[in-house]
Amino acid sequence: MQKVKNIGRFCTTDHEGYLLNESSLTKVQPAFLKIIEKVTAYYKFNLGENLHSVYIRGSVPRGLAIYGVSYLDTIAITTKDTDELNLQWVNRTGQELTKEFHCVSGIEFSFYYTKEVLETSTFSMIPFMLKTQSICVYGEDLSSYLPNYKNR
């Protein structure tokens, strides 16, 4: 029987109560770097000029990933509405990469249109995740355009 690891925690805040992003490329364990490169290459190849940026989020960029258990959670920001993109490659690619890289138990590919991400007049989960829980591994990092989020 496996022991459950106590790795959960509350988000840290700055002195004014704003949530801090504790994710960093320097925290990514070396075993996960190659799959991040390969996933990014697939995004670039399949989306071409429609790709704005790629982010990773979750346990991997926080340095908390468990080899062979954790998922690689990725987010592609696109320059075109996601309904207009050909995404038939995603399932096959995810399966192939999961077989090739034993460090993950799966890969989450997700796609969001730049205009939707930057529309922050109301709360939306994707801008929140980009700002507080993700790192940009390719393209322009949009986090500086997103609002800060406060712990209430």
Side-chain angles (χ1 to χ4, degrees):
M1 183 157 121
Q2 288 190 337
K3 184 178 178 184
V4 175
K5 292 186 177 187
N6 185 15
I7 60 173
R9 63 178 185 258
F10 291 105
C11 294
T12 57
T13 58
D14 66 12
H15 66 282
E16 295 179 14
Y18 288 100
L19 299 177
L20 296 174
N21 187 344
E22 296 183 288
S23 299
S24 169
L25 194 54
T26 62
K27 291 182 179 180
V28 175
Q29 298 166 38
F32 297 91
L33 293 173
K34 191 68 175 169
I35 191 170
I36 292 169
E37 289 177 20
K38 196 127 184 198
V39 166
T40 302
Y42 272 95
Y43 273 128
K44 289 165 61 175
F45 177 78
N46 287 287
L47 296 177
E49 64 186 27
N50 297 316
L51 179 63
H52 179 276
S53 48
V54 177
Y55 294 80
I56 58 170
R57 66 170 194 84
S59 63
V60 172
R62 290 174 41 220
L64 301 173
I66 300 170
Y67 190 95
V69 175
S70 295
Y71 265 66
L72 178 64
D73 301 308
T74 69
I75 300 170
I77 306 302
T78 63
T79 59
K80 192 176 198 179
D81 191 312
T82 55
D83 291 336
E84 299 175 30
L85 299 174
N86 176 358
L87 302 177
Q88 294 178 335
W89 58 274
V90 173
N91 288 336
R92 176 186 44 78
T93 300
Q95 291 169 0
E96 289 174 7
L97 291 175
T98 301
K99 287 180 186 174
E100 181 180 348
F101 293 93
H102 301 267
C103 58
V104 296
S105 62
I107 302 167
E108 178 183 317
F109 288 90
S110 54
F111 304 83
Y112 297 93
Y113 186 28
T114 311
K115 288 183 181 180
E116 294 171 352
V117 171
L118 294 175
E119 170 48 54
T120 59
S121 61
T122 60
F123 179 81
S124 178
M125 187 55 82
I126 298 307
F128 175 78
M129 285 193 302
L130 293 182
K131 184 74 173 191
T132 64
Q133 303 168 22
S134 305
I135 58 171
C136 184
V137 294
Y138 172 79
E140 180 189 9
D141 186 356
L142 295 176
S143 64
S144 64
Y145 300 104
L146 302 173
N148 292 319
Y149 295 92
K150 200 166 193 170
N151 185 12
R152 298 186 188 242

